[in-house]
């Protein structure tokens, strides 16, 4: 069988336009953001080069920065909770539910809704009025008035309320990814395992889980990195309040850049966020590479 060899020059001609577009849309803005982070600039008038002063202020003198980093990392960790849950639901749907595609589509509905709609919906759910909000209304109806809270205005619990909304919003997204991966496993493999006496959870342990590791990696990277960049839901529901208790890296960057008019400082925070995302992407890929080698 003759294999057609494509000249490297021909490959370069087709790849180069996309590569140039990618560099211009991704790497150039990152470099510009890093350079802007070296400036004392309000985004409008003249700028002053201050070197690494913005980064020094960010790491050592900003009382909001490190708490926002901690909340962002917790946000990312919480986003991973639903990955194994989605996998188990996907396995059960594929095995026991007829026309499971329709059910998965229903689960996917929150993903296609506007974040503004989701934020307003859950602000109603979390409404502190005992009969105006669903949660407090249910607790009051069951005589659990002492459990009611002003959910989004209490610093101790406001961030956890946002975690729950994010889990609800993207559950269908990760379920669809896992369900598609489970469906693509050939049925012949399960039939051969059944002949050898492996069914149910045993088949999942030795067939489903090893074969779906690459899909899990994709889902995990999307969940973790997407959570590190969380912005819109926080801004719609709390705006980073009360008293910065729900500020994450992106909202802090926005507040510094556009509300405090410290555009150079905001660019320094943006640079830190980019580096954080790249670092965790590499880390997750390394971990899953080793996992794939073990199960293969």
């Amino acid at each position: 069988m003759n294999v057609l060899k494509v000249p490297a020059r021909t490959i370069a001609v087709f790849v180069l336009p996309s590569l140039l577009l990618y560099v211009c849309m991704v790497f150039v803005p990152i470099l510009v953001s890093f350079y802007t982070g070296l400036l004392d600039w309000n985004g409008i008038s003249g700028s002053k080069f201050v070197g690494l002063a913005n980064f020094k202020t960010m790491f050592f003198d900003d009382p909001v920065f490190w708490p926002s980093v901690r909340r962002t990392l917790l946000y990312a960790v919480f986003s991973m909770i639903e990955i194994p849950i989605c996998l188990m639901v996907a396995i059960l749907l594929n095995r026991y539910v007829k026309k499971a595609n329709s059910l998965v589509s229903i689960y996917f509905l929150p993903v296609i809704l506007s974040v503004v709609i989701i934020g307003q919906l859950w602000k109603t759910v979390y409404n502190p009025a005992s009969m105006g909000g669903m949660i407090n209304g249910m607790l009051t109806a069951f005589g659990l008035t002492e459990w009611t809270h002003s959910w989004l205005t209490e610093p101790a619990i406001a961030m956890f309320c946002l975690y729950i909304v994010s889990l609800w919003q993207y559950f269908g997204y990760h379920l669809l990814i896992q369900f598609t991966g489970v469906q693509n496993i050939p049925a012949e493999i399960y039939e051969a395992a059944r002949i050898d006496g492996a069914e149910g959870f045993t088949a999942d342990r030795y067939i489903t889980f090893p074969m779906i590791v690459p899909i899990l990696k994709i889902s995990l990277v999307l969940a973790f990195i997407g959570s590190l960049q969380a912005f819109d839901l926080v801004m719609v529901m709390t705006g980073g309040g009360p008293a910065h208790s729900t500020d994450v890296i992106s909202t802090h960057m926005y507040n510094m850049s556009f509300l405090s008019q410290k555009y150079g400082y905001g660019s320094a925070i943006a640079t830190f966020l980019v580096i954080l995302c790249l670092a965790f992407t590499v880390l997750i890929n390394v971990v899953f590479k080793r996992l794939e080698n073990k199960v293969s």
Side-chain angles (χ1 to χ4, degrees):
M1 180 179 179
N2 295 326
V3 179
L4 179 62
K5 294 184 178 180
V6 181
R9 184 177 300 178
T10 303
I11 297 175
V13 169
F14 284 97
V15 172
L16 189 59
S18 298
L19 181 61
L20 288 175
L21 180 62
Y22 183 78
V23 169
C24 292
M25 298 297 292
V26 178
F27 287 101
V28 171
I30 291 175
L31 294 176
V32 171
S33 179
F34 175 74
Y35 172 72
T36 307
L38 304 176
L39 306 176
D40 181 10
W41 186 34
N42 61 9
I44 301 175
S45 59
S47 59
K48 177 183 176 182
F49 184 81
V50 294
L52 298 176
N54 285 327
F55 293 91
K56 180 181 178 181
T57 301
M58 179 175 65
F59 290 132
F60 301 106
D61 301 323
D62 187 346
V64 179
F65 175 71
W66 285 115
S68 71
V69 173
R70 179 178 59 82
R71 293 186 205 99
T72 303
L73 293 177
L74 282 175
Y75 206 128
V77 170
F78 267 87
S79 71
M80 295 188 295
I81 294 176
E82 64 186 345
I83 303 300
I85 298 175
C86 289
L87 177 58
M88 295 306 300
V89 173
I91 292 173
L92 294 175
L93 288 176
N94 184 64
R95 182 173 298 161
Y96 299 113
V97 179
K98 295 181 179 179
K99 297 182 180 180
N101 290 328
S102 301
L103 193 57
V104 173
S105 300
I106 294 174
Y107 281 124
F108 193 77
L109 282 177
V111 181
I112 63 177
L113 291 177
S114 166
V115 176
V116 176
I117 295 175
I118 291 174
Q120 292 300 323
L121 171 65
W122 278 89
K123 283 174 73 173
T124 302
V125 172
Y126 286 132
N127 191 320
S130 60
M131 298 310 294
M134 187 181 78
I135 296 179
N136 282 354
M138 292 178 61
L139 291 173
T140 302
F142 285 101
L144 301 174
T145 309
E146 66 277 6
W147 288 12
T148 60
H149 291 276
S150 183
W151 301 97
L152 296 178
T153 58
E154 293 185 19
I157 62 174
M159 198 66 213
F160 292 96
C161 294
L162 295 182
Y163 295 152
I164 293 173
V165 177
S166 183
L167 291 174
W168 175 84
Q169 181 184 5
Y170 289 104
F171 181 84
Y173 181 77
H174 296 290
L175 176 61
L176 177 63
I177 295 175
Q178 310 297 344
F179 182 72
T180 304
V182 172
Q183 277 194 320
N184 286 334
I185 298 176
E188 294 79 7
I189 299 178
Y190 289 107
E191 292 175 1
R194 191 177 298 111
I195 293 174
D196 293 334
E199 293 185 88
F201 180 75
T202 304
D204 292 330
R205 178 183 176 185
Y206 292 103
I207 298 175
T208 307
F209 295 154
M211 296 191 71
I212 206 172
V213 166
I215 305 299
L216 286 174
K217 181 181 75 172
I218 294 172
S219 192
L220 189 62
V221 169
L222 291 173
F224 199 91
I225 303 305
S227 297
L228 290 181
Q229 304 172 41
F231 173 78
D232 43 9
L233 185 66
V234 178
M235 289 301 293
V236 170
M237 295 192 66
T238 63
H244 298 290
S245 63
T246 59
D247 255 332
V248 291
I249 297 176
S250 296
T251 58
H252 186 45
M253 174 189 68
Y254 172 85
N255 291 334
M256 291 293 101
S257 299
F258 301 108
L259 299 185
S260 299
Q261 294 186 334
K262 297 179 180 179
Y263 197 81
Y265 184 65
S267 296
I269 298 175
T271 302
F272 172 83
L273 180 58
V274 169
I275 294 173
L276 189 67
C277 290
L278 290 175
F280 274 105
T281 301
V282 172
L283 178 62
I284 292 172
N285 277 285
V286 169
V287 171
F288 270 87
K289 184 68 175 178
R290 293 180 179 179
L291 183 61
E292 288 173 4
N293 291 335
K294 287 183 178 181
V295 299
S296 60

